[in-house]
Amino acid sequence: MANKNPSLTICIPTYNRPEKIRKTIINLSVMKNIDHVKILIIDNCSPVPVLEIYNKLDVKLTGLKIMRNPINIGIAANIMRSIEYAETDWVWLLSDDDIALKNSLEIIIEDLCQIESSLYSTVLLKYSTRLMSDSSSIGTINQQVYIKTLNELFNVFEKSEFFPSFLFMSSQVINKNLFLRYYIKALANPRICNIYPVFPLLINNQAGVYISDKMICRCGTLGKWPSDTWFPGIVYRDMLKEFKSFYFISSRTLRTIAHKWLYLKLKSILVICGILSIHGFEKGFIRHLFRDYYDLIFPKTLRFILFPVYFLFLFMIHHHKLLNRLMKYYKKYNEIKDSVINIDY
């Protein structure tokens, strides 16, 4: 690999996932061109230090640097710290539980060479990711697109099912210098910190976004998307609320994002609430989550029409045994009931 190739760091923020970070390190060791990039792991004060895990492995990575926070600073701050401490112009953010493909670095470096030779600044390279199954189009796009305005970005979201992948951290490579212009504001929006700077940069015509049909990793956490997992219910509600605070996003656009992003329909919300009820979450939390989703994704007229359903479901949440009994008729009830919910953020 010639020196003209762009400098790249694979940044992995991690906390308390010893088995997953072990597999991630082993997986990185067999990737093509891994010796030509830097690797930075930021250990967010895990009970078992990542350095101890690495020292017990038979593999050695020449470009690896492991840093450990003296205290747990939270997931958003740890993500931003991994970007801040990278020593290269470009950063590939990789979650500790996602699986990088063997040819990922070839794809990324080829794209970076092409982009750096152009006249327009690029803040983000965003790759496709299948978030449901091999046959699903959720999280994928059919062609390479270069985005220069916010309207162009929203047009991509409205015409495809790409939005879930846009939020997916491990499918993005960022321009560190451009990204850090909005470091503080990104930290103030923790649920979307990994993509927040994209929006003001596009609004101010300071940078563009490259979206690719290629894939560089597989999602390692979510088995089925979105209704059969706890993740959308807890995390994505907060993301939607942060998007709602953006002055340039209308309520209509926000609803479009919600539907493209989570495939959200009333049934999906009911299932998410049912999952949380089955797993023993407090009914007050579930009730607030349901109200937030209901207000965020339905216009006023439709909320009025659906009010009887809304009222009935709030009643069932309050009397959670009714909700749990209803969930038994859901075709994937047993699969949901036997699943394990881990919240180690």
Side-chain angles (χ1 to χ4, degrees):
M1 185 176 297
N3 291 330
K4 68 178 181 178
N5 286 327
S7 56
L8 175 69
T9 299
I10 303 175
C11 287
I12 308 172
T14 186
Y15 171 70
N16 196 26
R17 287 172 170 168
E19 186 60 27
K20 290 182 177 180
I21 194 66
R22 185 186 72 83
K23 290 180 179 179
T24 296
I25 294 172
I26 294 173
N27 184 48
L28 289 175
S29 69
V30 297
M31 286 180 62
K32 297 178 181 178
N33 299 321
I34 192 65
D35 292 335
H36 299 280
V37 301
K38 295 180 182 295
I39 306 167
L40 175 62
I41 299 177
I42 303 289
D43 179 1
N44 202 12
C45 200
S46 302
V48 179
V50 173
L51 184 59
E52 288 186 14
I53 296 171
Y54 175 69
N55 287 336
K56 293 179 181 179
L57 296 176
D58 293 331
V59 302
K60 297 300 174 185
L61 294 166
T62 57
L64 174 63
K65 183 177 182 180
I66 299 175
M67 300 182 65
R68 179 176 169 85
N69 297 327
I71 60 172
N72 188 318
I73 60 175
I75 183 171
N78 203 39
I79 290 171
M80 298 303 291
R81 176 164 285 182
S82 69
I83 299 171
E84 178 187 353
Y85 283 24
E87 299 174 351
T88 58
D89 295 331
W90 293 94
V91 173
W92 176 14
L93 282 175
L94 182 64
S95 176
D96 56 8
D97 60 348
D98 293 324
I99 304 165
L101 305 182
K102 287 186 178 181
N103 64 336
S104 299
L105 290 176
E106 289 182 322
I107 293 172
I108 293 171
I109 292 174
E110 180 181 352
D111 289 340
L112 288 179
C113 287
Q114 179 181 348
I115 285 173
E116 288 201 337
S117 64
S118 65
L119 297 177
Y120 204 83
S121 297
T122 301
V123 62
L124 187 73
L125 282 72
K126 200 67 188 175
Y127 294 90
S128 294
T129 308
R130 287 196 176 96
L131 295 178
M132 284 185 71
S133 66
D134 290 339
S135 61
S136 171
S137 63
I138 302 295
T140 64
I141 195 167
N142 295 327
Q143 59 183 357
Q144 297 177 6
V145 181
Y146 197 88
I147 304 296
K148 293 185 179 181
T149 68
L150 196 62
N151 285 338
E152 291 176 4
L153 185 64
F154 285 137
N155 285 337
V156 170
F157 296 156
E158 290 176 1
K159 294 177 181 178
S160 69
E161 303 293 349
F162 184 72
F163 197 74
S165 189
F166 189 76
L167 297 169
F168 184 47
M169 185 180 77
S170 297
S171 64
Q172 70 181 52
V173 177
I174 68 170
N175 183 324
K176 173 181 174 177
N177 294 327
L178 285 173
F179 199 88
L180 291 185
R181 291 183 187 180
Y182 295 93
Y183 185 93
I184 299 299
K185 289 188 176 180
L187 275 177
N189 293 270
R191 293 296 188 187
I192 53 174
C193 65
N194 64 298
I195 59 168
Y196 177 88
V198 170
F199 297 100
L201 286 167
L202 283 175
I203 291 171
N204 297 320
N205 297 314
Q206 295 174 324
V209 176
Y210 172 81
I211 298 178
S212 175
D213 57 341
K214 301 173 185 175
M215 297 191 184
I216 59 174
C217 68
R218 290 193 292 111
C219 180
T221 301
L222 305 180
K224 299 174 179 61
W225 184 274
S227 61
D228 294 345
T229 173
W230 62 271
F231 194 80
I234 296 175
V235 178
Y236 286 176
R237 181 272 308 265
D238 295 335
M239 287 184 176
L240 276 179
K241 291 174 75 172
E242 289 187 11
F243 275 109
K244 188 178 182 180
S245 68
F246 289 8
Y247 70 91
F248 51 81
I249 297 184
S250 66
S251 296
R252 182 177 179 179
T253 301
L254 187 69
R255 290 194 297 269
T256 299
I257 287 174
H259 285 277
K260 292 292 184 179
W261 168 11
L262 286 178
Y263 244 27
L264 270 182
K265 300 176 182 177
L266 184 59
K267 176 184 174 182
S268 300
I269 302 172
L270 301 186
V271 171
I272 288 171
C273 292
I275 293 170
L276 298 180
S277 178
I278 290 171
H279 284 280
F281 281 74
E282 293 183 1
K283 56 187 177 184
F285 173 84
I286 302 173
R287 185 165 58 247
H288 284 297
L289 179 140
F290 176 66
R291 285 175 175 171
D292 286 339
Y293 269 134
Y294 185 78
D295 290 340
L296 284 168
I297 72 170
F298 295 120
K300 288 183 179 180
T301 304
L302 191 53
R303 289 205 301 267
F304 179 78
I305 295 172
L306 293 174
F307 184 78
V309 177
Y310 169 82
F311 183 80
L312 176 62
F313 201 73
L314 282 181
F315 178 81
M316 286 193 294
I317 291 174
H318 184 73
H319 302 276
H320 61 90
K321 290 183 179 180
L322 293 175
L323 179 59
N324 293 352
R325 188 173 299 173
L326 179 65
M327 282 296 295
K328 289 183 178 181
Y329 294 97
Y330 185 58
K331 61 182 179 180
K332 296 181 181 179
Y333 171 80
N334 290 328
E335 183 180 341
I336 293 169
K337 186 179 179 181
D338 295 337
S339 64
V340 177
I341 295 182
N342 293 315
I343 305 176
D344 51 8
Y345 278 46

